[in-house]
Amino acid sequence: MDELEKLKLENEQLKKMNGVKSDLISISAHQLRTSLSALKWILKMFIDEDLGKLSTEQGSFVRKAYNSNERMIALVNDLLLLNHTEDTTIPYKFEKIDILNLIEQTVFEFSGETSKKEVELILLKPEIQLPPINCDEKMIRVVLQNLIENAIKYSSQKDRVFVSLKQSDANVEISVHDTGIGIDEKDKDQIFLKFFRAPNAIEKDVVGSGLGLFTTKNIVERHGG
């Protein structure tokens, strides 16, 4: 066996190993998410008092358990997304879409959360009609959700989050800007690293995976952005 054939064989073995690892992560994460989702609705039944009246103290403990469960579901979703974005053998489904329509849908999804937190979410529409863009709609939706969710999470009452888009030469430029805690200058070169969370972000919300911006960057780069 010459050196080239040996390298090809090793490459194929590595691909198989990577595939097995990817499948194991996906299966485990899906099973975990199924169990957590079942627990979520049981806790919700207690919160809504479908199973009987709760005391103030009992209600407080159940709500804390529900919120912790929600964070675990979000973490599992992050792991599934990370597995998907890091595996470059998984093809993206590129098609022409109306990006403004996708952004409007995504912004609407956060209307309940922003109302509850008293954070104003503002969509600044372009003055001219934008051309359709070629992308994987599902993955670009994830990018938008990650950025808007972060902006809301690290904002306080009466803060504002702006989502804007404009044509930039042959591309479309999308921006999410907020008036929240911001990013310290010394942390800016690390925010896209896997598992990194800035100290002020941890102080604002102690639970987080540090995977959101890492996966967002991967998705954007797969689109040539």
Side-chain angles (χ1 to χ4, degrees), residues 18 22 26 77-92 138-140 142-143 146 194 211-223:
N18 189 56
S22 181
S26 290
N77 286 336
D78 279 347
L79 289 172
L80 283 168
L81 181 61
L82 175 67
N83 190 49
H84 187 92
T85 54
E86 282 202 305
D87 190 343
T88 55
T89 63
I90 297 174
Y92 277 31
K138 179 182 174 184
M139 300 310 288
I140 291 299
V142 168
V143 167
N146 275 347
K194 192 191 295 186
L211 295 173
L213 289 181
F214 174 80
T215 52
T216 294
K217 182 174 184 287
N218 277 356
I219 295 168
V220 170
E221 288 178 343
R222 287 282 292 270
H223 283 80

Side-chain angles (χ1 to χ4, degrees), residues 135-197:
C135 70
D136 184 311
E137 183 174 355
K138 179 182 174 184
M139 300 310 288
I140 291 299
R141 185 187 294 272
V142 168
V143 167
L144 294 168
Q145 287 171 335
N146 275 347
L147 294 177
I148 295 172
E149 184 178 33
N150 265 10
I152 296 168
K153 183 193 293 186
Y154 300 116
S155 293
S156 302
Q157 270 187 331
K158 309 304 179 187
D159 278 336
R160 293 186 292 175
V161 175
F162 300 91
V163 181
S164 62
L165 67 162
K166 65 179 182 180
Q167 188 162 0
S168 178
D169 297 326
N171 300 308
V172 170
E173 184 179 301
I174 302 167
S175 171
V176 179
H177 171 78
D178 64 75
T179 57
I181 63 173
I183 302 164
D184 196 297
E185 200 64 40
K186 64 179 173 57
D187 296 324
K188 286 186 178 178
D189 62 344
Q190 301 183 76
I191 60 170
F192 293 110
L193 298 178
K194 192 191 295 186
F195 304 121
F196 176 79
R197 297 190 72 216

